[in-house]
Amino acid sequence: MKIYVVYDSENGHTEALARSVAEGAREVDGAETEIAHVNDADIYKLEGMDAIIWGCPGHFGTISAGLKTWIDRLGYLWAQGKLVGKVGGVFCTTATVHGGLESTLINLITPMLHNGMIVVGLPGNIPENALYGSYYGVGVTCPVELSDEDPKNLPSENDLALGRALGRRVAEVTKQLVASASR
């Protein structure tokens, strides 16, 4: 099964989370994972993928311009139904607590639903999600650095564990769907 992780990242925060998502997906036997920044991601590859996981920094409670522009190019896939039945998952980072994590995740899910994708989140019984996760996907807070000299406020190990959990869950669900389709 093929899984494509596409992300937008401006200061490395969301890229670190994207890498943990891809790492978690690769933990599932049979998962081939490709990861790409939106500037390098190829929308024409989506048709050959079994699952697509995308994420970005949240900007005022919604999708970053970079990922939104990329998603807006999916119209021909939508018109032909090429993403119908593919598994999807989402993730984001924001700079402040209560900075729009859940609204950004919901905004990331919406185009997946329009394309007929099967959206997978993180249920509460996943240990990494029990304390501070989200059922819609993975959203973490990484405060913005005030200057270039400040150390990066990259996602914590708990944040990265949530990313790996999302990647594993998407890969596990995809594996089940691919196996049942081949019967």
Side-chain angles (χ1 to χ4, degrees):
M1 70 187 146
K2 295 181 181 180
I3 300 171
Y4 203 19
V5 178
V6 177
Y7 68 93
D8 188 14
S9 187
E10 295 150 3
N11 295 305
H13 307 99
T14 311
E15 179 179 5
L17 188 57
R19 292 194 181 286
S20 72
V21 169
E23 181 183 326
R26 281 191 293 272
E27 292 174 9
V28 176
D29 188 44
E32 294 177 32
T33 304
E34 188 173 339
I35 182 170
H37 187 278
V38 290
N39 293 342
D40 304 315
D42 184 355
I43 61 169
Y44 299 102
K45 287 185 176 182
L46 296 179
E47 190 175 340
M49 296 294 162
D50 299 301
I52 304 156
I53 308 170
W54 59 48
C56 66
H59 289 198
F60 308 107
T62 195
I63 305 170
S64 68
L67 185 60
K68 180 70 168 83
T69 299
W70 187 82
I71 290 170
D72 286 347
R73 294 177 51 222
L74 303 180
Y76 89 95
L77 292 169
W78 167 82
Q80 296 179 31
K82 298 292 185 180
L83 302 182
V84 172
K86 294 187 185 294
V87 177
V90 299
F91 60 95
C92 72
T93 60
T94 61
T96 60
V97 175
H98 308 297
L101 285 172
E102 288 193 337
S103 62
T104 300
L105 293 171
I106 291 168
N107 282 306
L108 288 166
I109 288 169
T110 301
M112 290 183 166
L113 294 172
H114 279 256
N115 277 284
M117 295 174 67
I118 301 164
V119 178
V120 174
L122 282 178
N125 68 339
I126 291 179
E128 295 89 347
N129 200 39
L131 292 177
Y132 69 104
S134 171
Y135 302 111
Y136 308 113
V138 173
V140 302
T141 302
C142 302
V144 171
E145 297 81 15
L146 299 178
S147 78
D148 289 340
E149 291 79 41
D150 289 344
K152 292 277 187 202
N153 293 318
L154 295 174
S156 70
E157 182 48 44
N158 286 336
D159 298 334
L160 298 176
L162 280 169
R164 288 188 296 274
L166 177 67
R168 270 192 313 275
R169 176 136 165 85
V170 169
E172 288 165 351
V173 169
T174 304
K175 185 175 184 173
Q176 291 173 357
L177 290 173
V178 167
S180 69
S182 65
R183 287 185 203 153

